[in-house]
Amino acid sequence: MYSLKLTVVIEKDEDGYYVASVLELPGCHTQARDLNELMKRVKEAAELYLETEGIKEKMEFVGVQFVEVPLKWPFKTHPQKHSLRSETEFSLKWV
């Protein structure tokens, strides 16, 4: 039996769910409350994707890069996303 090693990116949304995306399979995403359940669902989603879509062109994961961009206070965001009252409080929490 053959196997395929896939790259999974995991994020946590504002409701506390873990959200996974399989980089090599465009549109292959799933979510769960805990990481163990998430990985079970990722495997299932990838298997279903491959059954229906097949293997498309090979995409190679190269790595992750970070970029810093300046933020001007006050920055635009949903009011419930943070409860910061000043630029100083933001710096202390995020730097």
Side-chain angles (χ1 to χ4, degrees), residues 42-61:
V42 167
K43 187 174 180 181
E44 179 182 300
E47 289 171 355
L48 290 171
Y49 182 101
L50 292 169
E51 282 178 21
T52 58
E53 301 293 322
I55 298 175
K56 307 225 173 178
E57 95 180 46
K58 176 73 171 126
M59 186 165 68
E60 179 183 344
F61 179 71

Side-chain angles (χ1 to χ4, degrees), residues 18-68:
Y18 292 100
V19 180
S21 302
V22 181
L23 293 183
E24 294 87 355
L25 307 177
C28 185
H29 312 281
T30 190
Q31 65 182 22
R33 281 273 185 206
D34 66 73
L35 291 172
N36 289 331
E37 181 64 25
L38 182 71
M39 294 314 296
K40 288 178 195 172
R41 291 181 181 185
V42 167
K43 187 174 180 181
E44 179 182 300
E47 289 171 355
L48 290 171
Y49 182 101
L50 292 169
E51 282 178 21
T52 58
E53 301 293 322
I55 298 175
K56 307 225 173 178
E57 95 180 46
K58 176 73 171 126
M59 186 165 68
E60 179 183 344
F61 179 71
V62 176
V64 176
Q65 294 290 317
F66 296 93
V67 62
E68 285 189 35

